[in-house]
Amino acid sequence: MLTTPSVRVIAPQELSPVLAVLDEDPVANAFVTARVLDSRLEPPFLGGEMWGHYRQGRLTALCYAGANLVPIQADDEAVLAFAARARAQGRRCSSIVGPVPATARLWSLLEPHWGPAREVRRRQPLLATRSVPPEVAPDPEVRRMRKDEMPLVLPAAVDMFTEEVGISPLDAEDGGLTYQARVAEIVGAGRCFARVEDGRVVFKAEIGAVTPQCCQLQGVWTAPDRRGEGLATRGLATVLRHALTETAPLVSLYANDFNAPALAVYRRLGFTEVGALMSVLF
């Protein structure tokens, strides 16, 4: 048995203790939990490594090291250990994202080696709801997109990503193939919803990570020339009803603290703050 704190890559046989750690905060950890449930921690499907921090032989914290570096339930001792492993391995991720305290500390340790970042978003409210206010009317024109409608969805998805992240996913080294595959996966799973007018998407939102406890909305976007008309409020009311009825008992999302219009929409829809995340973008 291990008697001193240590970090190592977790094996698929440790699925149960990993899920126990993730369940300590099912909303904040939804993205990683969904990835773990889908892959069962099998390396070809996990999309990266899962590092475990052990104290007295017991798993106490995790860090997902894939396209994102994500500290999970990590106290200062665990963050120090994860930072040391990340420095030794070198940066392979495109972002660091996670709860504010652990992510801020992790970035403070990695910035001298990995910095500067392209952008640091120090506080992104994590919001959740279990219902849709009855006074908010859903948009009957918002519907689930079909697999054959990828040519409609992709331009809106690329515009949303570019506006949100600051760079186009099509400028990636693979020409955007990985991004397009992710969009196709969401559409194929029936988790992309949109309002289409005259052959173009004017509003869209996706149900991203899904776990037994909750699901996470992502890719919420309204065409710039249609903003201010209430499309997002009514459209999200439709998506929320689908999500709560068909997917999970709780719906979450996170937003930038400087995006006042989006936060106002989410509050109007009954979302309340349950935590805060931080993102470091490279």
Side-chain angles (χ1 to χ4, degrees), residues 32-54:
V32 176
T33 301
R35 183 61 62 91
V36 167
L37 290 172
D38 288 345
S39 67
R40 314 301 289 181
L41 289 176
E42 293 291 344
F45 309 108
L46 184 60
E49 295 179 337
M50 185 68 77
W51 302 340
H53 178 262
Y54 297 79

Side-chain angles (χ1 to χ4, degrees), residues 118-119 121 157-171 256 258 281-282:
R118 182 168 55 81
E119 186 175 356
R121 299 179 180 179
V158 169
D159 286 350
M160 180 280 304
F161 185 100
T162 304
E163 183 177 349
E164 171 65 20
V165 179
I167 56 174
S168 170
L170 304 183
D171 292 337
N256 295 311
F258 53 78
L281 308 178
F282 298 106

Side-chain angles (χ1 to χ4, degrees), residues 229-250:
E229 300 178 19
L231 289 180
T233 302
R234 297 192 301 273
L236 278 172
T238 300
V239 179
L240 277 173
R241 282 173 167 82
H242 280 284
L244 291 167
T245 301
E246 305 169 3
T247 309
L250 183 145

Side-chain angles (χ1 to χ4, degrees), residues 3 23 29-30 37 59-60 72 75 79 87 94 97 105 116 139 157 162 169 172-173 189 212 221 230 258 260 277:
T3 57
D23 283 346
N29 299 332
L37 290 172
L59 181 65
T60 62
I72 300 154
D75 61 13
V79 168
R87 285 197 304 269
S94 59
V97 59
R105 177 61 171 146
D139 185 346
T162 304
E173 290 183 3
W221 179 84
F258 53 78
L277 304 182

Side-chain angles (χ1 to χ4, degrees), residues 191-194 203-207 217-221 236 239:
R191 301 211 303 261
C192 177
F193 296 81
F203 164 82
K204 78 167 192 69
E206 302 155 8
I207 300 172
L217 298 189
Q218 64 182 33
V220 179
W221 179 84
L236 278 172
V239 179

Side-chain angles (χ1 to χ4, degrees), residues 125 127-129 131 133 136 164 203-205 217-221 232-233 236 240 253-256 259-273:
L127 311 171
T129 185
S131 62
V136 180
E164 171 65 20
F203 164 82
K204 78 167 192 69
L217 298 189
Q218 64 182 33
V220 179
W221 179 84
T233 302
L236 278 172
L240 277 173
L253 55 79
Y254 65 96
N256 295 311
N259 193 342
L263 290 171
V265 168
Y266 301 145
R267 293 188 181 111
R268 200 173 302 131
L269 287 163
F271 281 93
T272 57
E273 189 168 329

